[in-house]
Amino acid sequence: MKKSTQFKHLLNSNQVEFIMEAHNGLSAKIVEEAGFKGIWGSGLTISASTCVRDSNELSWTQVLDIVEYMSDATTIPIMLDADTGYGNFNNMRRLVRKLEQINVAAACIEDKIFPKCNSFINSEDQSLAGVDEFVGKIKAAKDTQQDPDFCVVARTEAFVVGRGLNEALDRADAYYRAGADAILVHSKIATSDQILAFMAEWHKMCPIVIVPTKYYSTPTKVFADAGISMIVWANHLLRSSITAMQETAARVYREQNLMSIEKEIATVKEIFRLQNDDELREAEKRYLPRIEASILPR
Ligand code: SPV
Ligand code: MG
């Protein structure tokens, strides 16, 4: 099944679905091998993995170079966190064309202003895009896609910048009417109160996606009962790898040998497996001419 179709089915399934963050080809493959049915191409973790800020410091083509490796390494769909669409409606159209070419299933765009800033940094000072401008961007994306199953997920940052429930609902409603396949409602508070208040009023017009990074202590069943369609675990592979790398670097620096670390880390053989090295060995047997002993110089 096409990746876009897989993703559309996930969004519209009658149970809550989960997608996990990845930030390069390797982490994307690890997400798939863990059993996840989809990948969140996180703006935060893709930028952090290059050690630049989540403020559109990477150009959109640099982001897509990374996402293409993620797409090539996996068979499950990717939803790219495409920030604001990297510009206006016209940049959005070009983005959709390129995402389809590299087999990315969905783009999530947020109603902020380019260059965006991460939702957890000085968010009360951040501005929202005008509703009309953002609606035009959604329509432009939907009109551009060639594959009918490519999904555009519209994210509202109304709660994040300190606006209330009514504005979140009004924006979600406008984005849904503009053709968004789902709405991502973001919240940065430590409880799920804003999300649950939103769900109580939303009446299931289209699927709702959430990112419970800050309200992680809410049991998943609460979200399922509230009718949430998709949960994004947005940054947890990058965060766990940071901890692991810091511990390994510190220990090897301190101990000046590899003795204590060796048994706790992935083997080199495991790297080869993830790179699918066996396939190359098999292909060599098929395609690489053998150097016959008879033609070797004496
Ligand atoms: C991301 O993963 O880049 C997101 C989610 O947009 S958040 O960091 O919570 O804004
Ligand atoms: Mg982001």
Side-chain angles (χ1 to χ4, degrees):
M1 196 190 296
K2 283 186 303 179
K3 288 181 176 179
S4 55
T5 312
Q6 289 178 46
F7 190 78
K8 197 161 211 168
H9 286 182
L10 280 185
L11 270 183
N12 292 289
S13 86
N14 51 18
Q15 61 187 32
V16 63
E17 304 284 357
F18 305 92
I19 64 172
M20 167 59 93
E21 164 266 326
H23 47 275
N24 56 24
L26 183 68
S27 55
K29 185 155 185 177
I30 287 171
V31 171
E32 177 165 5
E33 288 189 346
F36 283 99
K37 293 186 235 163
I39 297 170
W40 171 245
S42 159
L44 172 64
T45 68
I46 289 173
S47 57
S49 69
T50 64
C51 214
V52 303
R53 289 165 286 216
D54 186 17
S55 303
N56 293 123
E57 291 186 344
L58 289 179
S59 73
W60 72 279
T61 56
Q62 287 174 317
V63 172
L64 260 55
D65 282 347
I66 296 172
V67 174
E68 190 169 5
Y69 283 111
M70 293 164 57
S71 181
D72 288 349
T74 51
T75 64
I76 55 173
I78 298 172
M79 169 159 61
L80 175 64
D81 167 14
D83 295 341
T84 60
Y86 312 110
N88 73 1
F89 81 93
N90 192 37
N91 304 89
M92 185 69 209
R93 293 193 301 185
R94 198 154 162 69
L95 174 69
V96 170
R97 281 198 290 274
K98 287 292 161 193
L99 289 178
E100 289 193 323
Q101 285 168 15
I102 62 171
N103 204 6
V104 169
C108 177
I109 49 168
E110 64 194 56
D111 53 4
K112 293 220 294 248
I113 311 235
F114 182 92
K116 59 72 58 92
C117 181
N118 186 271
S119 304
F120 303 140
I121 300 173
N122 296 335
S123 55
E124 306 288 344
D125 299 337
Q126 296 182 23
S127 310
L128 291 185
V131 174
D132 290 346
E133 197 259 335
F134 198 66
V135 157
K137 209 179 263 184
I138 296 166
K139 285 185 177 159
K142 293 305 292 177
D143 288 344
T144 300
Q145 71 186 63
Q146 302 286 303
D147 173 356
D149 290 342
F150 182 86
C151 289
V152 175
V153 176
R155 160 173 166 176
T156 182
E157 294 278 288
F159 286 134
V160 166
V161 303
R163 313 272 181 92
L165 175 61
N166 286 343
E167 173 137 13
L169 285 164
D170 288 349
R171 281 179 174 266
D173 184 61
Y175 304 163
Y176 161 66
R177 287 178 200 288
D181 297 278
I183 305 294
L184 190 157
V185 187
H186 205 13
S187 171
K188 59 163 186 156
I189 60 174
T191 70
S192 48
D193 293 358
Q194 291 175 328
I195 299 297
L196 297 180
F198 179 95
M199 291 309 289
E201 301 289 330
W202 176 245
H203 305 309
K204 295 197 173 150
M205 287 199 288
C206 72
I208 297 296
V209 181
I210 60 165
V211 185
T213 302
K214 292 286 180 184
Y215 46 99
Y216 60 85
S217 54
T218 303
T220 297
K221 184 170 183 318
V222 173
F223 299 132
D225 291 347
I228 300 289
S229 295
M230 183 176 279
I231 295 181
V232 179
W233 310 126
N235 46 49
H236 300 82
L237 291 196
L238 183 83
R239 286 166 60 192
S240 59
S241 67
I242 289 173
T243 306
M245 288 192 286
Q246 285 170 331
E247 283 173 3
T248 300
R251 196 171 336 155
V252 174
Y253 178 78
R254 210 173 41 243
E255 297 177 0
Q256 298 188 343
N257 67 64
L258 301 172
M259 247 104 75
S260 79
I261 213 73
E262 182 60 28
K263 286 201 181 62
E264 294 178 21
I265 58 177
T267 59
V268 174
K269 209 167 152 201
E270 174 63 356
I271 303 176
F272 295 151
R273 187 193 68 77
L274 285 160
Q275 289 170 309
N276 204 11
D277 213 61
D278 282 352
E279 190 277 335
L280 180 55
R281 301 284 84 78
E282 286 304 312
E284 280 171 355
K285 283 186 208 150
R286 262 177 293 137
Y287 302 122
L288 209 56
R290 280 189 202 174
I291 300 171
E292 301 293 342
S294 60
I295 60 165
L296 285 175
R298 286 171 193 272

